[in-house]
Amino acid sequence: MLHNRQRRIISLLAVTSVVVMAGLAGVVTSTAAHAASGQELDLRVLLIGQNGGDPTTAAWQSELTSEGVAYTLVTAQGSPNSETISLPNLIDPSDSNHGYFDGVVVVPSVFDFSSFDALLPVWQYESTFNVRQIDAYVYPESALNGLNPVSSGDQSGTTPTLTTAGQAAFPALSGPVPLDTGTYGYPSQVDAPSGDTVTPLLDDASGNVLMAVDQHANPDYTTDQSGVSELSITFDYGADYTSWLLLGPSLI
């Protein structure tokens, strides 16, 4: 997603490649996060996790660690629909052009928080520093990520397939991405807000979307993610799920 490995320390891999997405040729405005002239980004990912031993959060922790990607984990607290989050400093207090993260992965849905504005500082940071975001497991909502759910439920045993854009983003994969027993998801259709461009990356057998990139409009008056590339995954997974074993390394 997003890493410019030539930028400062090769050790960071790019989760931010999706952030996401390495090689999202033609899908996002660039293949890596690029700070504007005069700005500087640390090669570190901000991972906003779900509480309660969440398997999707654990999957990201495991893969980031395995790949040697530096990250900071901040875990949401509380119950669904009333969660809170205590965010770290995103910008160097002594230098407004120095951002601490060049990629953001968000596991909780914005609907899990007590306030829609809980992630507003993160969104504004992404816009200011041209940082991409991955929604690790998200409920589709057209105003937020350009997707409208057409169904919900057990996706066990189904085999979605990467779209042409998806195969360009994940060249190491042949196309099929089997979903394990216990996978729950929200097949969707594209319903992009005005000015946004939404590109499906993974479709089910009915042509419904399970993963897509939303290139937010600039300006974006809905979420303050002006110009941000946001990749959404609308099904869950754990560290040992086939879907994650296939997609995880490429997302990083």
Side-chain angles (χ1 to χ4, degrees):
M1 138 178 157
L2 26 248
H3 271 90
N4 190 338
R5 310 189 178 202
Q6 318 237 325
R7 230 182 14 230
R8 286 179 13 219
I9 299 180
I10 289 187
S11 111
L12 221 136
L13 190 67
V15 155
T16 326
S17 185
V18 91
V19 133
V20 241
M21 275 209 132
L24 214 45
V27 176
V28 295
T29 54
S30 65
T31 58
H34 294 286
S37 177
Q39 292 181 335
E40 178 184 10
L41 292 175
D42 289 352
L43 292 177
R44 174 173 289 270
V45 171
L46 175 62
L47 173 59
I48 299 176
Q50 187 63 284
N51 58 28
D54 174 63
T56 301
T57 301
W60 276 97
Q61 287 183 269
S62 176
E63 191 63 30
L64 289 168
T65 300
S66 175
E67 298 285 356
V69 178
Y71 71 95
T72 295
L73 171 66
V74 182
T75 304
Q77 301 297 320
S79 303
N81 305 123
S82 61
E83 290 180 354
T84 60
I85 189 79
S86 180
L87 294 168
N89 283 338
L90 305 177
I91 302 173
D92 186 342
S94 64
D95 183 358
S96 61
N97 286 316
H98 176 200
Y100 286 147
F101 305 97
D102 75 338
V104 177
V105 177
V106 181
V107 180
S109 168
V110 67
F111 300 108
D112 289 331
F113 292 100
S114 58
S115 169
F116 182 82
D117 292 336
L119 297 178
L120 185 58
V122 176
W123 295 340
Q124 293 174 334
Y125 171 80
E126 292 168 349
S127 180
T128 298
F129 285 91
N130 192 26
V131 167
R132 300 176 190 168
Q133 175 176 317
I134 297 177
D135 299 329
Y137 173 41
V138 68
Y139 181 79
E141 212 290 323
S142 55
L144 296 176
N145 47 43
L147 297 174
N148 185 35
V150 297
S151 66
S152 64
D154 189 5
Q155 308 297 311
S156 301
T158 63
T159 304
T161 302
L162 293 169
T163 64
T164 299
Q167 288 184 301
F170 301 101
L173 304 181
S174 63
V177 179
L179 301 184
D180 295 69
T181 298
T183 301
Y184 190 96
Y186 303 95
S188 305
Q189 289 293 312
V190 171
D191 185 17
S194 178
D196 286 23
T197 300
V198 176
T199 303
L201 301 181
L202 186 70
D203 288 352
D204 67 13
S206 299
N208 297 315
V209 181
L210 289 166
M211 186 166 68
V213 170
D214 181 1
Q215 178 64 51
H216 287 267
N218 192 6
D220 176 358
Y221 297 110
T222 302
T223 63
D224 280 341
Q225 288 176 288
S226 297
V228 171
S229 294
E230 178 180 12
L231 184 148
S232 295
I233 302 171
T234 67
F235 57 91
D236 64 354
Y237 46 88
D240 60 349
Y241 278 39
T242 302
S243 56
W244 178 245
L245 294 175
L246 289 172
L247 294 171
S250 294
L251 287 171
I252 308 274

